[in-house]
């Protein structure tokens, strides 16, 4: 399966609490809900199309527990798929899942996720779980990244690519904007980020 990270972020890179002020108040974060004013029909259509490609969801423990609490109570076009897809949660503290079907991946996460990726299928999707996504990008396991960038700068909160591993190179494969100003970007992960020395514009024209 192809491992794909899907994240909602602000223009200054914050991924924490896109859906409501109470979604994630870790470290005293109070500015959640920044994505909601910009939702529109095109956003719903594209994210639904992305979810249609999933053969499983890969989640960190915190996101899993929040999703397991909330998604069974939500009535929208995504609910049936979110609730029925196989869930894989990376955790050495959980012993079992409550949001079925769930498999808890204990032990070495790189080995466990690598084994999952080797299975046949389309996409294994990470939703939320920014820490897990960062870790797997640094480990070289991510195949693609999908970003929904909101036209908002909020100045605080946990940022998506607070990266401590090696560099990551991305190749843009799709881009689109929605009527309410969201920017939808899709990238393939292509290894280390390339670097070069600037030698004037003549090298590029």
């Amino acid at each position: 399966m192809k491992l794909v990270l899907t994240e909602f972020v602000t223009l200054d890179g914050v991924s924490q609490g896109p859906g409501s002020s109470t979604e994630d108040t870790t470290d005293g974060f109070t500015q959640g809900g920044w994505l909601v004013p910009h939702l529109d029909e095109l956003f719903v259509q594209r994210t639904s199309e992305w979810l249609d490609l999933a053969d499983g969801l890969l989640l960190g423990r915190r996101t899993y527990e929040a999703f397991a609490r909330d998604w069974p109570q939500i009535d929208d076009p995504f609910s049936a798929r979110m609730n029925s897809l196989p869930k894989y949660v990376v955790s050495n503290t959980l012993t079992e899942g409550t949001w079925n079907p769930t498999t808890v991946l204990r032990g070495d996460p790189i080995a466990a996720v690598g084994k999952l990726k080797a299975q046949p299928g389309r996409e294994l999707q990470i939703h939320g779980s920014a820490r897990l996504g960062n870790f797997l990008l640094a480990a070289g396991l991510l195949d693609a990244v999908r970003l929904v960038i909101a036209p908002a700068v909020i100045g605080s909160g946990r940022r998506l690519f607070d990266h401590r591993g090696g560099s990551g190179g991305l190749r843009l494969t799709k881009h689109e904007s929605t009527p309410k100003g969201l920017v939808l970007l899709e990238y393939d992960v292509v290894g280390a980020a390339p670097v070069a020395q600037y030698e004037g514009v003549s090298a590029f024209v």
Side-chain angles (χ1 to χ4, degrees):
M1 284 190 285
K2 181 179 179 180
L3 184 58
V4 180
L5 174 65
T6 298
E7 290 285 347
F8 307 149
V9 296
T10 63
L11 194 59
D12 55 339
V14 174
S15 61
Q16 187 172 356
S20 79
S21 60
T22 59
E23 178 181 357
D24 183 353
T25 58
T26 305
D27 299 324
F29 182 64
T30 61
Q31 299 191 73
W34 42 264
L35 181 71
V36 178
H38 311 290
L39 301 185
D40 56 31
E41 185 177 352
L42 183 57
F43 164 84
V44 173
Q45 179 183 342
R46 290 293 180 263
T47 51
S48 180
E49 290 168 355
W50 295 344
L51 188 58
D52 278 341
L53 299 173
D55 283 332
L57 304 177
L58 180 66
L59 305 166
R61 180 184 60 81
R62 288 190 177 98
T63 300
Y64 174 82
E65 290 178 335
F67 281 12
R69 177 194 67 222
D70 296 339
W71 273 107
Q73 314 303 322
I74 296 173
D75 181 18
D76 74 12
F78 303 98
S79 300
R81 287 169 291 173
M82 291 293 289
N83 289 321
S84 63
L85 279 167
K87 272 75 71 173
Y88 303 92
V89 54
V90 176
S91 176
N92 284 318
T93 57
L94 286 181
T95 57
E96 61 182 6
T98 58
W99 188 27
N100 293 318
T102 290
T103 300
V104 179
L105 303 179
R106 300 177 65 84
D108 179 3
I110 294 177
V113 173
K115 186 175 180 181
L116 266 182
K117 283 190 60 178
Q119 295 181 10
R122 297 172 302 165
E123 292 186 358
L124 179 63
Q125 294 183 356
I126 304 171
H127 291 260
S129 302
R131 294 184 184 93
L132 177 62
N134 245 320
F135 174 77
L136 294 175
L137 176 63
L141 289 175
L142 276 186
D143 296 300
V145 176
R146 294 188 181 111
L147 299 179
V148 176
I149 302 177
V153 175
I154 59 176
S156 66
R158 189 169 57 253
R159 284 166 169 77
L160 173 58
F161 293 123
D162 186 12
H163 201 50
R164 295 292 185 269
S167 67
L170 304 173
R171 182 178 64 245
L172 183 66
T173 57
K174 293 182 182 179
H175 59 91
E176 188 174 20
S177 61
T178 74
K180 287 197 173 181
L182 296 172
V183 177
L184 315 182
L185 302 174
E186 297 190 50
Y187 295 93
D188 285 340
V189 179
V190 293
V195 296
Q197 301 299 317
Y198 179 70
E199 296 178 352
V201 295
S202 60
F204 311 105
V205 296

